[in-house]
Amino acid sequence: MPNRQYREWFALSVIVVYPFLGIWQGLDFTDTGYSLTNYALILEAPKSVLAFWSKIWLTSMIGAGWLAVGHDLGLIGARFAGALTSYLCILFSYHSLKRYADRATLLTALAIALIVITRGRGKILNYNNITAVLLAAATCL
């Protein structure tokens, strides 16, 4: 039994700490810069953003709302929001799957999934993780 408790503790520690490890790593001017520009411009000049990327308007509106709340946080704030979406996804997945596996196994599987999905980078709030959270929430409900 102590082995199971250690596995649970370790998996839970990974789930809590790992999303924040990549927040402080370097800069990225590809998708990250594009997404942050969309979030900044969606409310100011919606035609400039929606003309080409109308299919991600919900992500842009959520990102604009996040930037409005923590405007001074910039890239760190967007990565913090990405960590929060990871937490939400793990939480919804846990609640959806807890009937099918014991706690230690499920937490270990979710910790591994979190590591594989984020791959050590500070993920920002984007259409990939928002979609994952919404799908996990729908599965949970």
Side-chain angles (χ1 to χ4, degrees):
M1 279 305 188
N3 188 21
R4 176 176 282 163
Q5 290 175 342
Y6 292 132
R7 264 188 19 204
E8 285 181 18
W9 179 84
F10 182 72
L12 198 56
S13 298
V14 168
I15 290 171
V16 169
V17 172
Y18 191 76
F20 285 106
L21 293 178
I23 286 180
W24 307 101
Q25 287 181 332
L27 294 173
D28 180 10
F29 294 109
T30 55
D31 288 343
T32 302
Y34 177 77
S35 295
L36 290 175
T37 303
N38 270 350
Y39 304 159
L41 292 178
I42 190 74
L43 298 177
E44 295 174 19
K47 288 183 182 179
S48 67
V49 175
L50 294 176
F52 187 67
W53 287 105
S54 61
K55 60 188 171 210
I56 60 168
W57 67 270
L58 180 60
T59 301
S60 297
M61 293 303 290
I62 292 170
W66 179 260
L67 287 181
V69 170
H71 182 65
D72 294 335
L73 298 177
L75 180 61
I76 302 297
R79 288 184 176 170
F80 183 78
L84 291 179
T85 57
S86 296
Y87 287 145
L88 284 174
C89 194
I90 293 294
L91 180 70
F92 288 137
S93 298
Y94 177 80
H95 283 295
S96 296
L97 298 170
K98 67 183 176 183
R99 294 179 290 214
Y100 305 107
D102 65 294
R103 182 178 164 91
T105 304
L106 184 55
L107 286 174
T108 303
L110 290 173
I112 292 169
L114 180 67
I115 290 169
V116 169
I117 289 169
T118 58
R119 293 183 302 274
R121 296 186 310 236
K123 292 283 192 175
I124 67 159
L125 183 69
N126 63 18
Y127 55 87
N128 292 323
N129 53 18
I130 289 176
T131 302
V133 166
L134 292 177
L135 288 173
T139 303
C140 186
L141 295 175

